[in-house]
Amino acid sequence: MFVYLLHIGFQDSISDVQGVSTCKNILACPICYVPLIWNGDPVLSVDAAPRSSLQCGSCKKSYFGNDTHLDLTVGSGAKEYGEDKPASTEIFRTPLVSFLYERGWRHSFSVWGGFPGPEGEFELSKEYLKPVLGGNIVDASCGSGLFSRLFTKSGLFSLVVALDFSENMLRQCYEFIKQEENFPKENFILVRADISRLPFPSRSVDAVHAGAAIHCWPSPSAAVAEISRVLRPGGVFVATTYILDGPYSALPLLRPLRQNIGQISGSHIFLDERELKDLCNACGLVGFTCTRNRRFVMISATKPS
């Protein structure tokens, strides 16, 4: 058994891209944020997880892979202790929702919300991600890995981390991968983690993508602050969500109703683009831009250099 520090590098085809990470320790202890020591297969890939363990050199806590993913939550390894998450988080941990998400649930966003569909969203996101092509990307709250797989097959990034809190979503992603012929499994990993406690060192990530996820996060500000922490200077955050603006935002009871819904479900309803811009700016991100189509919005912001 060999011991390796997790690291990544450019693919030969994109080695000439400037301004992105060429070699960094990418996975860290979610308690200490210290890079983890990798014990196992020297090849960083989705198939390496079952054969690998990781250890924090600071707090000495160990983390382990299972059949599908690495569990890098703070509570990883706890036998008795557990925490209940808000409904907006727990619903995606159920086997039924994980199964249906990519088999109809996600498609409904296009029907009622104006989402352009996976391929359309992917093309839009590539425009925002141009400054960091060739670096690593974290697909945060990846669900069943719809965009994680597209990022990986595009060959535009040196490492893709598909990250979600739902074990069943990650298992579903793994099942989809097994069904694809010649899927590039190297430099692609599945990681279970909390969006408000990301298992990456500060200033180590080139890009973070979050598709249709911000409104489901228990605390968008805590999550975006974590994303800002892990982004390197010049790193890019790209996300999609929906906005209830226009005539909806003028309804006098909508804002207090939003608070009640948020308290009960843990989800957040955005009422205008300015709120999203203010969220990014408050968390230390600049250069906010967005693309709209009806209720759909794609936003982008950058970590200052």
Side-chain angles (χ1 to χ4, degrees), residues 7-8 13 35 47 50 58 75 98 107 127 133 141 157 180 199 201 228 255 266 279 294-295:
H7 65 281
I8 62 172
S13 60
D47 286 335
S58 176
S98 299
H107 176 69
E127 290 299 311
L133 294 182
S141 296
F157 298 91
E180 293 196 38
S228 179
R255 289 188 181 274
L279 170 63
R294 293 164 49 201
R295 306 275 71 80

Side-chain angles (χ1 to χ4, degrees), residues 129 132 136-139 157 205-209 231 235-237:
L129 292 167
V132 290
N136 57 54
I137 185 169
V138 175
D139 189 18
F157 298 91
V205 174
D206 295 300
V208 175
H209 170 267
L231 282 175
V236 177
F237 172 48

